[in-house]
Amino acid sequence: MSEPTIESILQEQRLFPPSAEFASKCQIKSLEDYQQIYERAKADPVAFWESIATEELHWFEPWHTVLEWKPPEVKWFLGGKINISYNCLDRHLQTWRRNKAALIWEGEPGDSRTYTYAQLHREVCQFANVLKQLGVKKGDRVGIYLPMIPEAAIAMLACARIGAPHTVVFGGFSAEALKDRLLDAQAKLVITADGGWRKDKIVPLKEQLDLALAQNGVPSVAQVLVVARTGQTIQMEPGRDHWWHELRVGISPDCPPESMDSEDLLFILYTSGTTGKPKGVVHTTGGYNLYTHITTKWIFDLQDTDIYWCTADVGWITGHSYIVYGPLSNGATTLMYEGVPRPSNPGCFWDIIEKYGVNIFYTAPTAIRSFIKMGEHYPLARNLSSLRLLGTVGEPINPEAWIWYHRIIGGGHCPIVDTWWQTETGGVMITPLPGATPTKPGSATLPFPGIIADVVDLEGNSLPNNQGGYLVIKHPWPGMMRTVYGDPDRFRRTYWEHIPPKDGQYLYFAGDGARKDDQGYFWVMGRVDDVINVSGHRLGTMEIESALVSHKAVAEAAVVGCPDEIKGEDIFAFVTLENNYQPSDSLSDELKQHVVKEIGAIARPGQIRFTDGLPKTRSGKIMRRLLRNLAAGQDVVGDTSTLEDRSVLDKLREQDH
Ligand code: WT7
């Protein structure tokens, strides 16, 4: 683990309070309102969460105990019975929202669809009935490997409806990465599409799945359900593969929701860690429903007429919590876009905002930086006056990007919510509330009510303001992950042991460095472990190293992050070769392609540097700090006395010039 560096702490002083007019229309209208709610929640978290659970969600049966906390094991709303698809759909049908748009979808080639709550409910019920017909039962895991089409949300809700935990795998992951995840989750059925549109090309999803399942690669998978999207020819294996549009014919649009225990598994989502394979983050039903519901409601200050657009992919937690579950649980209109900005259509986001009159727009700093690069003439050519609130997520936002976003996209009048959270936290943890919190560019500001966050040293001591340390959470919250799927020990080690309990209080270790300023605002500085953040995508350096050494030419590999203007960080790999191989550009390309095959295009190293040796300590540990310096083109700083062989470093430095 590396120390958070003080140099990287932003020293931004500008303050942007919400306008009085904006604040007056919000649910939480002032900093005093926020503070009052925050203090009430802090004084009695159990009473706070209980009252929200009662007011905001439908429960089939009440809980008998709000919280059971046997660190690190946590349970919320014990004994409560609930179904998140009921809260996202059925309960709205009894209100005027029945015919309100639930999901607006825009396809990359320009096709579009809109589902009202009543229509979405029918689709989900039919989908759920087809899953049942294929033998899926409560508790069976279902893999979802789909493009950004309405069926992705429909499939998730259908799984939730029948109590089959889903595991969504991002469509950009390769067959190998997909296989690892399906194996770990022991999926019984996989939902995929013939293909999906991305950057004017078809992503051949079914073909990738066929590779993953070839030679009985994932023995647990008995059935595959295929959605027709792109229409190209694919192989359909008789008995295993089925078309959704064929099976749905004549299927009942009625499917009563399964009564789920609050702590029943809702989904597994894989994310990268410091060591080993990606871990399956486990989220359960009641707490996740509650936490995503209330964070969506307050952070985006949802109003009934809002068109809300989060640009994430449903393959990531942001898509789960803030495209599908949070917005629908609130009865909002959520917009989904299949594509991404691309050379043939760099202005596509602004076209969509104008076309649908989007009011709330939630995206990532890396996207904002690429918009800046493409040029402000694209957004300025569109009418973006419908926007009233902007959000960002995924990595620290640099103040320049924040200011550009505020001025050019927000017309200078939209508050920006910079939301800090993680796959593990289920929902947003540190964030402004738009009508209450004066914002500072680059700071995620203050913890959400019910969240006790702090910055501590490695012994768990609270640090004074303005001192860099480790970000921790001190009290359980309903949306927190419950365990690592199939590996409770890894859960304990990763999140609860780096920093020991302090005075009997367990501290959730987030893996981020941070500091608090004099107003108690949090400034998140990035990961302190061997996780890198490339365009808001989280990757473990070890995963990429394992991919590299699985190539026959590679003897040893060390991967570090290096600063990148658009992506935030890029992947820099140091590679030593087996004796009979020579460094060359073509080998470098081959290795990059090999990583794409093993993991996916998001893990393609930006640069590979061949070297005769890696700088190691006498005990054989690679000195990553030195490699990070070299990758950033900086001089090596700090102590190098523990190096086993100094000449290795000297040679690497020479290569730099
Ligand atoms: C890591 C979690 C949660 C959705 C997207 C990423 C970084 C996330 C912020 C932010 C500074 C941020 C952290 C965190 N991160 N949001 N607003 N400011 N850093 O989820 O893949 O689980 O990654 O993303 O480093 O630990 P994830």
Side-chain angles (χ1 to χ4, degrees), residues 334-352:
T334 185
L335 194 148
M336 188 185 213
Y337 178 48
E338 184 184 30
V340 287
R342 51 203 181 278
S344 68
N345 197 354
C348 60
F349 277 19
W350 324 123
D351 291 345
I352 291 171

Side-chain angles (χ1 to χ4, degrees), residues 24-42:
S24 70
K25 295 183 192 138
C26 283
Q27 299 170 50
I28 296 168
K29 298 180 197 320
S30 67
L31 195 57
E32 293 69 43
D33 279 4
Y34 157 79
Q35 281 160 344
Q36 211 177 6
I37 301 172
Y38 188 83
E39 290 307 324
R40 175 162 59 88
K42 189 176 172 187

